[in-house]
């Protein structure tokens, strides 16, 4: 039944391709079956930048005209990064100001109990400011992981539906299974285990300025978070890769069988085989364009939180190197501990992005089996 249905679609497409511009008409006909209004609404809700709306982007990359004027330019990149760079510079200035205050307080206070109390109060205040600075990035990270999961959920119906209608049911089912693995296990593990371990380890390390027993516990939590993150990502990538090969091979075999059946029909087999090849070319082109649009949607929505975490971590690292000669090792270790926490948060965001893109990756692998 499935082969008969696919064969009927090919016959209908062969009639539509009778005109001179058959491939262009076939692509336009396939694009009419794809509805991306949900992608556009989600993109606008999350203030997506860098590209046009997903529906406009899909039309642009499948059109014969180059997508040059409205594409990503150096000016657009600079405009996008300028607020993040200014924010990072302001954070460096703030942290260096705190380092200067600590240096002055250490220089003016004596070894008496009052001087020790003053340094303790100052250290608590400085730690509080840095924690506030870091916890804003923690909130962004948690929100970014939730957003990435929701984006993958929105991508699934459109891409899987197009694959199923195109006769690539195995890959469509694979996307559903991969999304379940990603959302129900991996992303939940990020939110409930890895991010809390990173935050707890960073707080403990900051409390001891990287020198006491609490700092050792904090480093242990960071190592545990890295290990869990690496194991989860590796298992997910391996499982998805093996499943992708199996699903792509099954769909490729189905398409090859259809092409062979079309070519074996007496008298018109050669002509029909050419129509089948043209139809598959159109299907593959639109399928790849839809997958690229989904990848661009994920990256454009998730890029800003990841860049913000990277810029804040860089500001902490730079401030740690600059402040150590001024205010001493404790303040620098405080900044390094907070930077290590943000490093793990950044790795978590990047892992969520990479695994969502890996979920879409099987879409691009079907063509090599045909």
């Amino acid at each position: 039944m499935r082969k008969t249905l696919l064969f009927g679609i090919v016959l209908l497409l062969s009639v539509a391709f009778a005109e001179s511009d058959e491939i262009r008409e076939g692509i336009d006909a396939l694009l009419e079956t794809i509805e991306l209004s949900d992608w556009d609404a989600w993109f606008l809700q999350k203030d997506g930048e860098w590209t046009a709306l997903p529906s406009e982007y899909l039309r642009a990359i499948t059109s014969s005209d180059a997508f040059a004027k409205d594409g990503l330019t150096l000016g657009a990149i600079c405009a996008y990064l300028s607020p993040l760079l200014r924010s990072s510079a302001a954070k460096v200035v703030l942290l260096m100001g705190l380092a200067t205050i600590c240096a002055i307080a250490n220089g003016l206070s004596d070894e008496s109990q009052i001087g020790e109390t003053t340094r303790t109060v100052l250290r608590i205040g400085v730690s509080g400011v840095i924690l506030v600075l870091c916890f804003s990035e923690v909130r962004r990270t948690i929100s970014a992981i939730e957003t990435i999961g929701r984006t993958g959920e929105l991508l699934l119906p459109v891409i899987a539906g197009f694959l199923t209608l195109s006769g690539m049911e195995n890959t469509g089912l694979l996307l559903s299974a991969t999304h379940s693995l990603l959302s129900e296990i991996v992303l939940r593990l990020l939110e409930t285990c890895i991010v809390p371990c990173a935050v707890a380890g960073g707080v403990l390390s900051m409390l001891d300025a990287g020198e006491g027993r609490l700092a050792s516990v904090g480093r242990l939590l960071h190592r545990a978070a890295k290990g869990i993150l690496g194991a989860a990502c590796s298992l997910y990538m391996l499982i998805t890769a093996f499943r992708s090969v199996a699903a792509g091979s099954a769909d490729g075999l189905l398409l090859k069988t259809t092409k062979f059946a079309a070519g074996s029909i007496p008298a018109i087999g050669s002509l029909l085989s050419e129509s089948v090849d043209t139809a598959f070319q159109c299907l593959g082109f639109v399928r790849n364009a839809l997958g690229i649009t989904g990848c661009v949607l994920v990256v454009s929505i998730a890029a800003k939180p990841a860049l913000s975490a990277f810029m804040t971590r860089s500001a902490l690292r730079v401030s740690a190197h600059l402040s150590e000669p001024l205010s001493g090792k404790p303040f620098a270790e405080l900044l390094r501990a907070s930077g290590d926490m943000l490093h793990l948060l950044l790795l978590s965001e990047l892992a969520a992005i990479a695994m969502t893109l890996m979920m879409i990756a099987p879409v691009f692998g079907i063509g090599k089996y045909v």
Side-chain angles (χ1 to χ4, degrees), residues 226-247:
K226 287 182 181 179
I228 296 172
L229 179 61
C233 291
S234 299
L235 287 175
Y236 174 85
M237 296 293 185
L238 286 174
I239 292 172
T240 303
F242 285 127
R243 285 179 171 179
S244 300
V245 173

Side-chain angles (χ1 to χ4, degrees), residues 103-156:
I104 294 173
N106 290 333
L108 295 178
S109 60
D110 52 20
E111 298 299 329
S112 63
Q113 185 176 1
I114 296 177
E116 182 64 27
T117 302
T118 303
R119 288 192 294 270
T120 302
V121 171
L122 181 61
R123 179 177 174 179
I124 292 173
V126 170
S127 300
V129 173
I130 296 175
L131 282 174
V132 170
L133 191 67
C134 292
F135 275 117
S136 62
E137 295 299 333
V138 173
R139 288 195 301 270
R140 288 193 186 96
T141 298
I142 296 174
S143 176
I145 294 174
E146 293 175 352
T147 300
I148 293 169
R150 176 58 179 158
T151 304
E153 183 180 346
L154 285 174
L155 295 178
L156 184 63

Side-chain angles (χ1 to χ4, degrees), residues 110-297:
D110 52 20
E111 298 299 329
S112 63
Q113 185 176 1
I114 296 177
E116 182 64 27
T117 302
T118 303
R119 288 192 294 270
T120 302
V121 171
L122 181 61
R123 179 177 174 179
I124 292 173
V126 170
S127 300
V129 173
I130 296 175
L131 282 174
V132 170
L133 191 67
C134 292
F135 275 117
S136 62
E137 295 299 333
V138 173
R139 288 195 301 270
R140 288 193 186 96
T141 298
I142 296 174
S143 176
I145 294 174
E146 293 175 352
T147 300
I148 293 169
R150 176 58 179 158
T151 304
E153 183 180 346
L154 285 174
L155 295 178
L156 184 63
V158 177
I159 299 178
F162 180 80
L163 292 175
T164 302
L165 291 175
S166 302
M168 307 167 197
E169 297 178 357
N170 295 286
T171 304
L173 293 174
L174 170 65
L175 294 185
S176 301
T178 305
H179 177 262
S180 297
L181 176 64
L182 177 64
S183 61
E184 295 178 7
I185 298 178
V186 182
L187 292 183
R188 186 170 297 180
L189 188 65
L190 284 175
E191 294 175 351
T192 60
C193 181
I194 296 172
V195 172
C197 282
V199 174
V203 171
L204 291 176
S205 297
M206 282 187 278
L207 289 176
D208 270 357
E211 295 179 341
R213 184 174 299 177
L214 292 179
S216 300
V217 177
R219 287 191 290 269
L220 179 62
L221 289 175
H222 280 176
R223 286 194 295 270
K226 287 182 181 179
I228 296 172
L229 179 61
C233 291
S234 299
L235 287 175
Y236 174 85
M237 296 293 185
L238 286 174
I239 292 172
T240 303
F242 285 127
R243 285 179 171 179
S244 300
V245 173
S249 300
D251 287 331
L253 179 61
L254 173 62
L255 299 181
K256 283 183 178 180
T257 303
T258 304
K259 291 168 64 176
F260 177 77
S264 63
I265 297 177
I268 62 171
S270 177
L271 178 62
L272 191 56
S273 180
E274 292 179 0
S275 298
V276 170
D277 286 334
T278 303
F280 285 161
Q281 287 177 15
C282 295
L283 288 171
F285 183 74
V286 175
R287 182 197 68 224
N288 290 338
L290 184 61
I292 291 172
T293 303
C295 293
V296 170
L297 178 62

Side-chain angles (χ1 to χ4, degrees), residues 50-73:
W50 288 17
T51 65
L53 291 175
S55 58
E56 298 173 354
Y57 188 84
L58 177 63
R59 289 283 180 176
I61 61 178
T62 53
S63 67
S64 57
D65 299 329
F67 191 57
K69 292 183 179 179
D70 299 328
L72 187 62
T73 62

